Amino acid sequence: VWVAQAIKGIKEIPSVEDCHAEIALWTGTNPEVTSCPYKAIQSQTDYLLRLQADTGFEGQFDAHKQFFDWKKSKVNVAEYRNKAYPSPTTGTMAPVHSTPWMDLMDDGIDAYINAA
């Protein structure tokens, strides 16, 4: 969205100096965020929220809690995939799928939609 707005002339392209400062800001946090997966998730969320604010996107885009839950449950990813989660942009709760993830052998969209 940011790039599309810049191409259309809606968003002003920052100066080279501002771009370098922005890159230094985000890459400066790399040692901290790479030491902890939860900090990495929060950093990615912060970046997306920054882009959201920059482009005027009005939806909700903070999904870090869902990613924290995912990280905690990675030991049993099949159980995580059997749960339903709210959309980070609309808050709409997804339905629980009728077929356990491990039993759904065809991962194509048609099979998924038809089995739901």
Side-chain angles (χ1 to χ4, degrees):
V1 171
W2 194 97
V3 171
Q5 288 182 352
I7 290 170
K8 290 180 174 181
I10 298 169
K11 167 99 10 233
E12 184 177 328
I13 298 175
S15 69
V16 171
E17 294 79 19
D18 287 345
C19 288
H20 284 285
E22 183 79 6
I23 291 167
L25 171 75
W26 289 105
T27 58
T29 65
N30 282 350
E32 179 183 345
V33 301
T34 55
S35 68
C36 173
Y38 295 99
K39 288 181 181 180
I41 290 167
Q42 187 60 56
S43 178
Q44 291 171 359
T45 299
D46 292 344
Y47 182 70
L48 287 174
L49 292 173
R50 166 70 192 282
L51 290 175
Q52 175 185 348
D54 228 19
T55 58
F57 180 78
E58 295 180 5
Q60 175 56 270
F61 211 71
D62 186 348
H64 79 277
K65 290 178 185 147
Q66 289 169 298
F67 283 106
F68 283 2
D69 288 346
W70 169 76
K71 182 63 182 158
K72 288 177 196 170
S73 66
K74 272 186 89 172
V75 175
N76 190 346
V77 73
E79 284 303 312
Y80 178 83
R81 289 182 174 209
N82 287 334
K83 298 177 183 176
Y85 300 93
S87 164
T89 55
T90 66
T92 302
M93 189 67 163
V96 175
H97 199 276
S98 63
T99 307
W101 181 76
M102 288 299 286
D103 296 337
L104 191 62
M105 297 301 176
D106 183 350
D107 64 354
I109 189 70
D110 290 335
Y112 187 82
I113 298 294
N114 293 327

